[in-house]
Amino acid sequence: MSAQAPAPPSPSAGGPPPSDAVPLFYRRGFRRLLQQGIYVAITALVAWYVYDSLDLREFGFGFLDDPAAFKVGNQWLTDIDGVTNNRITMYLVGVWASLRVVFVAILLSTLVGVLVGVSRLSSNWLVARLAMLYVEIFRNTPLLVQVVLVYAIFLVGAPIIQEVVNIGDFAFISNRGLAIPWPVPNDGLWGLPDWFVGVWVALLIAIGAVAMTVRRTRQNRERETGQPQFANRWAFGIFAVGALVTFIILGLPVSIDRPYIEGTRYLEGMVIRPEFAALTIGLTLYTGAFNAEIVRGSIQALPTGQTEAANAIGLSGYQRLTLVILPQALRQMIPSITNQYLNVNKNSSLAYAVLYDDLFRVAGIIQNKAGHALEMFFVIIVTYMLISLVISAVMNLINSRVTRVGV
Amino acid sequence: MRLPSLKGRRLVSALLFAGAALVAGAVIGACTSDEDDQQAQATEQQQQQMEQQDQPAEQQQQEQQRAAPRAQDSGEPRGNTIQLVQDRGTLKCGVKQTQPLFGFRDDQGNVTGFDIEFCKAIAAAVLKDADAVEYVDASDASTRFELLADGQIDILIRTTTITSSRDMELDVDFAQTTFYTGQGFAVRKDSGINSTSDMANAAICVQTGTTTEQNVADHFTDIGLDYEPTGGLSQDVAAAFFEGRCDVLTADASDLASRIVVRDDADDYKILPQIISKEPLAPGVRDYDSDWKDVVNWVVHGLIRAEEIGITQANVAAMASNPPNTEVARLLGVPFGDGEVAALGFDVVDAQFIQRAIAAVGNYGEIYDREIGNAIPRDCTLNALARPLPSEAVDCGPGEGGIMYALPYR
């Protein structure tokens, strides 16, 4: 090796290498300091920039407290007047509308999924092929198209209100919706106020709890003794008798309202409007197709020995399905089906296509009037996230319960 | 291995450091200039918010609208559109092409409508050829003012409402209003509804827009009635109305007329005379170009004046060759008598520009009757003449009557 370049004379001889032997920029300490300094500086700049631009935009949620000055249609159980109420109240009306759609669509799509999924594995050629046709059609076309199509069918296919289809003065069908009878709170026979319906509902829950306890006790006894204990019949009987007795004691707190038509308007009863129906049916058909595939996959993932064993001990086809196959398959499908439920929640924003007043549309109206798009989208995102998290939490609870049982 | 000399390494490190400093400086600089933009944007957003309060029902995407670039930003020569148009030999007219009656392109590609007639009148006035018009598609509400500010069109005649915020914030000046409209209501004729006071608990389809929902909610609060807003397809809520989903459709009255007139069963529907908002539609020109605005203004006034004094497309030639009085002579740009009263000449346009406009498209009343008279009745609305000819005067109810009034031409 050739000689090093002559180092400048160091003041402290013999110790660590002189401080200027390594240039400042190559020193490890300086490098770390510089890197961290740049990182901190950029972070601070970005933070300051975000804060400052938000400040300039007058970021804040005060506008949500101003009067809404618009109306929201298609309310159920509520009749909140948008003209006098503030914007956040109307937004919550929209959230309630979204929740209704999501709840109904989740229930129906699960039902469709199980039915079609099992049908796809049917030995009946026609049933299996029809199920496959359904899945392939609805899984492979856009949900938006399905929702708009269903809505158009209602709009054009159903008669106008002047030519309403009257089903025995009991229900009405027109393109303004399906009107059906609906229970409403009622002043009791003994002059009890109508909020006593709440007492009745509370009593029903209590009676239901009692019935479930009886059912469990009898099921356990059946398992121990082998003697049939008719647990389900007992539970149902207790509940039915309890409900009837309390209903009479409280003086019939609920009556059934039959709808009727005045002019061009449905009064009383319950009206399922075409926008709600189109959105719910669209979501149900679309998600149902995916659910069916999940159900089919979970069943096919079971070892064939399960089916063979069930056949060997002489179970009927129905018993094989309900006692052996589905209980095991359901456990496997819960995580996948949770994803579908979350999709139902997110896809419910397609309400915009048929002007169903869900949370996204109401938020859109508020934005049109008040601006503050940033804040409004923040609220929208948080709302969808909260609903999704609740769905996940419930599904995780169910998952942990079913996986705990047996096997 | 021999390390580079310390001197060399120092140099490298110094260069690296300088580079890093430059980059940091650039980042900070960029942030600062972004900051200014941000400020401008924020102000703009506030202006838009203000604007939204005044926006007409027919434009849904206004909130996305950006203020047009200011005059000095455009590469096109500014401030002398009339010279530009004459040099080019055609008038670039920004029109809507999707609204029957006002501006509509048919299957054959012909553009027709009320607004189109004013394009022709201006082309006839300025270029002496009513067909020297290039119709530029300005159907998209959110970009129409930018077309104008960028110089892609010379004039915007596209059912555009004059509002204070547009006039003051955007690079647009408005000429004389050509059509007065407002948010109105359409119903089936057999519904028995004659005004909003008959609409208690009616189902109302609201054409979504920035102020339509609020206008109708405010109105029903004022008259103390309840109503039920209903759904529909978001891209076309009118379809739901025509299928009977609701009793009433509300939108700009001119918009309602356009929707109804194209239907086979148009006779089954009517538009109520009641109007609950102000939407004066006017031609728009660029700011800082008063010669051009003057010409547009006076063509419109001239067409209205022609109706007031009975000059029509049919008799304009006869009137010009033998004017009955000094005013007709002046309006048509011809001398009166034996040259005792000379024609008015202008720096920016010759004396006979209004005569050519009338010869091309007729007077205001003729344009109205020809293009929209069948769908939108005119008598006793704001669009009627404030001073009709005695022979054509109609008795109107209290509070009714036209406000079309031409300024004096002399």
Side-chain angles (χ1 to χ4, degrees):
Chain A
M1 295 305 264
S2 61
Q4 290 265 338
S10 77
S12 58
S19 58
D20 55 352
V22 180
L24 185 67
F25 194 68
Y26 284 98
R27 275 182 225 153
R28 191 180 289 159
F30 177 74
R31 280 285 183 92
R32 284 180 178 159
L33 211 67
L34 187 68
Q35 284 163 2
Q36 289 172 22
I38 290 175
Y39 178 78
V40 167
I42 289 177
T43 310
L45 265 178
V46 169
W48 170 75
Y49 173 72
V50 168
Y51 169 80
D52 205 54
S53 14
L54 291 184
D55 199 41
L56 269 174
R57 282 167 192 273
E58 292 173 14
F59 190 88
F61 295 91
F63 71 98
L64 285 173
D65 199 32
D66 293 340
F70 61 86
K71 290 198 66 163
V72 169
N74 214 341
Q75 297 191 24
W76 184 58
L77 292 185
T78 57
D79 185 18
I80 294 173
D81 171 28
V83 175
T84 49
N85 282 287
N86 61 10
R87 289 177 177 142
I88 192 73
T89 312
M90 297 325 285
Y91 179 73
L92 291 177
V93 170
V95 173
W96 171 225
S98 288
L99 288 176
R100 265 151 38 210
V101 167
V102 171
F103 183 74
V104 175
I106 282 180
L107 279 188
L108 293 182
S109 69
T110 311
L111 206 65
V112 169
V114 172
L115 281 178
V116 176
V118 171
S119 302
R120 277 209 66 178
L121 298 171
S122 167
S123 52
N124 183 323
W125 185 87
L126 187 65
V127 170
R129 289 308 138 102
L130 281 178
M132 192 188 78
L133 193 69
Y134 162 78
V135 168
E136 295 307 337
I137 288 176
F138 287 95
R139 198 172 57 152
N140 294 315
T141 49
L143 176 55
L144 176 62
V145 173
Q146 293 174 20
V147 170
V148 171
L149 183 68
V150 173
Y151 187 64
I153 290 172
F154 278 129
L155 213 55
V156 181
I160 58 173
I161 188 107
Q162 287 83 358
E163 298 161 9
V164 68
V165 177
N166 184 343
I167 305 170
D169 266 349
F170 190 73
F172 299 92
I173 301 173
S174 79
N175 67 2
R176 300 203 180 182
L178 165 69
I180 53 172
W182 197 252
V184 288
N186 193 16
D187 288 350
L189 278 183
W190 336 117
L192 296 169
D194 61 2
W195 55 262
F196 256 70
V197 70
V199 177
W200 187 54
V201 171
L203 281 174
L204 280 190
I205 294 170
I207 296 166
V210 171
M212 291 307 285
T213 318
V214 170
R215 177 170 174 265
R216 201 174 311 124
T217 330
R218 294 202 151 250
Q219 274 177 340
N220 287 341
R221 199 183 302 159
E222 181 171 319
R223 210 170 292 142
E224 286 159 14
T225 63
Q227 298 295 314
Q229 296 290 334
F230 308 108
N232 285 338
R233 286 179 212 179
W234 269 92
F236 181 75
I238 289 172
F239 187 77
V241 170
L244 192 67
V245 168
T246 48
F247 188 63
I248 292 166
I249 289 175
L250 287 175
L252 319 181
V254 174
S255 64
I256 303 292
D257 245 4
R258 289 209 303 192
Y260 61 95
I261 292 178
E262 190 187 83
T264 58
R265 189 170 178 240
Y266 289 128
L267 288 174
E268 305 202 347
M270 165 137 111
V271 184
I272 300 167
R273 299 189 190 280
E275 293 82 26
F276 175 87
L279 185 62
T280 314
I281 292 175
L283 282 170
T284 300
L285 292 177
Y286 182 79
T287 318
F290 285 93
N291 287 351
E293 284 299 277
I294 292 169
V295 170
R296 180 187 61 80
S298 306
I299 291 175
Q300 284 184 330
L302 286 181
T304 43
Q306 295 289 330
T307 313
E308 290 163 3
N311 286 338
I313 60 171
L315 294 181
S316 72
Y318 178 75
Q319 285 174 324
R320 190 180 68 215
L321 196 66
T322 53
L323 296 178
V324 180
I325 307 296
L326 278 183
Q328 297 181 74
L330 277 172
R331 275 173 221 161
Q332 294 193 21
M333 67 181 72
I334 283 179
S336 330
I337 227 156
T338 305
N339 282 337
Q340 294 304 321
Y341 291 173
L342 298 182
N343 280 343
V344 169
N345 172 36
K346 290 177 282 183
N347 289 341
S348 71
S349 56
L350 286 176
Y352 204 89
V354 292
L355 298 186
Y356 175 72
D357 289 312
D358 77 328
L359 72 93
F360 186 56
R361 169 151 160 73
V362 173
I365 299 177
I366 295 174
Q367 250 176 70
N368 260 344
K369 287 180 198 315
H372 291 282
L374 210 57
E375 292 92 329
M376 222 46 238
F377 271 102
F378 181 77
V379 172
I380 293 169
I381 290 168
V382 168
T383 313
Y384 277 119
M385 255 179 62
L386 279 180
I387 300 175
S388 283
L389 289 175
V390 169
I391 294 174
S392 303
V394 170
M395 293 308 288
N396 286 342
L397 196 72
I398 293 174
N399 194 28
S400 65
R401 283 188 67 112
V402 294
T403 44
R404 215 187 294 149
V405 181
V407 186
Chain B
M1 278 291 292
R2 186 179 181 282
L3 290 167
S5 74
L6 199 59
K7 219 174 208 172
R9 284 167 66 186
R10 279 215 172 110
L11 189 66
V12 169
S13 91
L15 279 177
L16 275 174
F17 199 81
L22 266 178
V23 169
V27 167
I28 293 169
C31 283
T32 326
S33 64
D34 273 2
E35 182 49 41
D36 293 339
D37 289 353
Q38 197 61 45
Q39 197 150 9
Q41 257 176 29
T43 331
E44 204 175 287
Q45 191 139 359
Q46 285 163 15
Q47 288 158 2
Q48 280 165 25
Q49 284 166 20
M50 283 160 45
E51 193 179 348
Q52 279 169 19
Q53 302 304 314
D54 286 318
Q55 267 164 11
E58 97 263 15
Q59 293 105 23
Q60 305 186 10
Q61 294 154 339
Q62 281 308 296
E63 69 275 10
Q64 287 149 13
Q65 198 174 64
R66 291 275 169 271
R70 306 306 304 176
Q72 61 268 26
D73 294 343
S74 165
E76 193 85 9
R78 302 302 303 271
N80 198 354
T81 307
I82 193 163
Q83 190 64 47
L84 189 76
V85 170
Q86 281 171 345
D87 290 349
R88 194 197 294 128
T90 57
L91 174 73
K92 287 187 175 179
C93 204
V95 296
K96 200 169 179 178
Q97 306 200 339
T98 55
Q99 187 175 358
L101 301 179
F102 284 84
F104 187 71
R105 180 183 285 272
D106 65 16
D107 302 340
Q108 281 83 44
N110 300 319
V111 186
T112 54
F114 185 76
D115 288 343
I116 309 303
E117 296 301 298
F118 286 92
C119 292
K120 287 181 182 168
I122 292 161
V126 180
L127 298 168
K128 308 186 179 176
D129 179 5
D131 295 324
V133 188
E134 183 186 334
Y135 296 105
V136 179
D137 187 0
S139 305
D140 183 359
S142 57
T143 57
R144 56 182 149 172
F145 295 113
E146 275 155 16
L147 288 179
L148 186 66
D150 291 349
Q152 295 181 43
I153 54 177
D154 302 313
I155 185 166
L156 180 73
I157 311 187
R158 186 216 164 277
T159 58
T160 299
T161 307
I162 309 178
T163 66
S164 58
S165 46
R166 284 176 180 174
D167 201 10
M168 292 193 272
E169 303 297 342
L170 304 182
D171 184 11
V172 60
D173 247 355
F174 290 100
Q176 168 65 26
T177 299
T178 55
F179 191 80
Y180 293 97
T181 184
Q183 187 173 339
F185 300 90
V187 295
R188 285 188 69 88
K189 275 184 184 159
D190 56 18
S191 65
I193 297 174
N194 291 312
S195 78
T196 49
S197 54
D198 299 332
M199 291 183 197
N201 299 318
I204 299 183
C205 286
V206 182
Q207 184 83 54
T208 49
T210 47
T211 54
T212 34
E213 284 106 345
Q214 182 160 18
N215 284 343
V216 74
D218 286 352
H219 181 77
F220 276 83
T221 308
D222 291 346
I223 62 175
L225 288 181
D226 197 12
Y227 70 99
E228 181 200 325
T230 56
L233 290 171
S234 62
Q235 75 264 33
D236 183 15
V237 75
F241 167 70
F242 292 121
E243 292 298 340
R245 173 67 187 89
C246 47
D247 304 305
V248 181
L249 175 67
T250 180
D252 270 10
S254 51
D255 204 15
L256 294 174
S258 303
R259 294 307 310 256
I260 291 173
V261 73
V262 293
R263 293 183 62 84
D264 294 336
D265 58 351
D267 286 346
D268 293 346
Y269 300 95
K270 65 177 177 184
I271 298 168
L272 303 182
Q274 198 173 15
I275 296 290
I276 61 168
S277 76
K278 280 182 170 180
E279 315 287 349
L281 311 181
V285 295
R286 279 180 287 269
D287 275 336
Y288 314 114
D289 193 355
S290 48
D291 282 351
W292 180 229
K293 183 182 166 186
D294 289 346
V295 171
V296 174
N297 242 342
W298 282 103
V299 167
V300 178
H301 279 300
L303 295 178
I304 297 170
R305 186 64 190 149
E307 188 188 5
E308 286 177 343
I309 58 180
I311 305 176
T312 65
Q313 195 171 11
N315 70 14
V316 64
M319 288 266 201
S321 60
N322 186 19
N325 55 45
T326 49
E327 193 192 353
V328 170
R330 229 185 270 124
L331 189 66
L332 300 182
V334 292
F336 184 66
D338 299 324
E340 294 153 24
V341 179
L344 294 176
F346 303 101
D347 292 342
V348 289
V349 68
D350 65 299
Q352 297 185 347
F353 73 110
I354 292 176
Q355 183 191 332
R356 288 193 301 272
I358 298 168
V361 295
N363 64 36
Y364 180 85
E366 288 179 292
I367 297 174
Y368 194 108
D369 292 343
R370 189 171 61 234
E371 298 297 328
I372 54 179
N374 291 333
I376 311 173
R378 184 179 177 212
D379 286 340
C380 299
T381 69
L382 292 178
N383 294 306
L385 289 182
R387 300 258 176 105
L389 286 172
S391 60
E392 292 176 1
V394 185
D395 285 333
C396 297
E400 292 182 339
I403 56 169
M404 278 295 170
Y405 174 86
L407 302 183
Y409 192 86
R410 58 175 180 254

